[in-house]
């Protein structure tokens, strides 16, 4: 018999909740690139859940491959907000596909942040305004970094889980196909009779 895995595994639940939380705040900040990546991640988590429920090792392998890409994406986000190398938040608007000047939602709504508009500023582009943000207990860059680091931790845990479950499913499939076969279910071919049994015929 196939092993029984809890379809409500905490790893899948945490991954789904974390992805939905990330998606909500990225929507609020108009961060289009993370929104697209989060959507693909949510679909991948659903694929992993389906693979576990239906005992499909191929789906779990696809899910594991996506988690590798997801770790890479979140590592890039960490580098972006920490401005590693030549990355600059003031110059690069990768998160919005260069379509707007919007920043992370946490920039103005972080814990303790006080937003003050700067009136009649010549630095503001057309249809925009300049603000100053002060008093934040934690700058938005570090909030984004902590969020991405959490995603990486959960993804690594999910990767190990997906690889383990996929390996178990493959071993069970090999055991059924080449060792047990139909005999494991007590199947027996019909026996041939040595003679026919005659029955009386009434007219």
């Amino acid at each position: 018999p196939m092993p029984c895995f809890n379809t409500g595994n905490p790893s899948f639940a945490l991954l789904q909740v974390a992805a939905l939380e990330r998606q909500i705040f990225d929507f609020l900040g108009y961060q289009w690139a993370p929104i697209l990546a989060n959507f693909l991640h949510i679909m991948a988590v659903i694929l992993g859940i389906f693979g576990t429920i239906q005992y499909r090792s191929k789906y779990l392998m696809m899910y594991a491959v996506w988690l590798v890409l997801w770790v890479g994406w979140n590592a890039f986000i960490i580098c972006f907000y920490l401005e590693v190398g030549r990355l600059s938040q003031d110059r690069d608007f990768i998160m919005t596909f260069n379509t707007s000047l919007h920043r992370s939602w946490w920039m103005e709504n972080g814990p303790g942040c006080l937003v003050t508009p700067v009136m009649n500023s010549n630095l503001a582009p057309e249809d925009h305004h300049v603000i100053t943000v002060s008093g934040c207990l934690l700058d938005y860059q570090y909030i984004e970094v902590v969020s991405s680091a959490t995603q990486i931790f959960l993804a690594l845990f999910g990767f190990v889980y997906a690889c383990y479950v996929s390996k178990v499913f493959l071993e069970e499939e090999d055991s059924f196909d080449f060792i047990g076969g139909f005999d494991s279910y007590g199947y027996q071919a019909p026996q041939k009779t040595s003679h026919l049994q005659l029955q009386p015929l009434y007219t």
Side-chain angles (χ1 to χ4, degrees), residues 12-168:
F12 284 121
L14 287 174
L15 284 166
Q16 196 76 317
V17 170
L20 290 173
E21 175 268 335
R22 183 83 167 269
Q23 186 74 308
I24 291 172
F25 290 114
D26 285 335
F27 259 117
L28 293 174
Y30 303 99
Q31 304 294 287
W32 305 119
I35 287 171
L36 177 60
N38 295 334
F39 175 77
L40 294 177
H41 182 59
I42 292 171
M43 294 297 101
V45 173
I46 294 174
L47 184 68
I49 295 174
F50 180 80
T52 303
I53 295 174
Q54 298 294 325
Y55 305 104
R56 302 292 181 87
S57 58
K58 291 182 179 179
Y59 290 165
L60 286 170
M61 290 179 182
M62 293 172 59
Y63 172 63
V65 170
W66 165 256
L67 288 180
V68 174
L69 300 176
W70 183 243
V71 168
W73 167 250
N74 282 277
F76 169 76
I77 292 180
I78 292 175
C79 293
F80 176 78
Y81 281 106
L82 295 180
E83 297 189 336
V84 176
R86 296 184 177 181
L87 294 173
S88 172
Q89 298 179 60
D90 297 328
R91 185 185 66 250
D92 302 322
F93 296 95
I94 301 172
M95 298 303 168
T96 60
F97 291 132
N98 292 320
T99 58
S100 71
L101 301 178
H102 286 97
R103 303 295 183 88
S104 169
W105 182 82
W106 295 107
M107 180 179 182
E108 301 179 32
N109 301 277
C113 289
L114 177 62
V115 179
T116 304
V118 178
M119 307 304 296
N120 301 322
S121 174
N122 295 326
L123 299 176
E126 186 179 357
D127 298 331
H128 287 75
H129 62 278
V130 175
I131 61 173
T132 60
V133 182
S134 60
C136 295
L137 299 178
L138 186 64
D139 289 340
Y140 74 96
Q141 298 97 321
Y142 301 112
I143 296 178
E144 293 287 357
V145 167
V146 170
S147 176
S148 293
T150 303
Q151 292 289 337
I152 290 175
F153 173 78
L154 292 175
L156 293 175
F157 183 78
F159 178 82
V160 173
Y161 177 82
C163 290
Y164 170 74
V165 176
S166 178
K167 179 176 179 294
V168 171

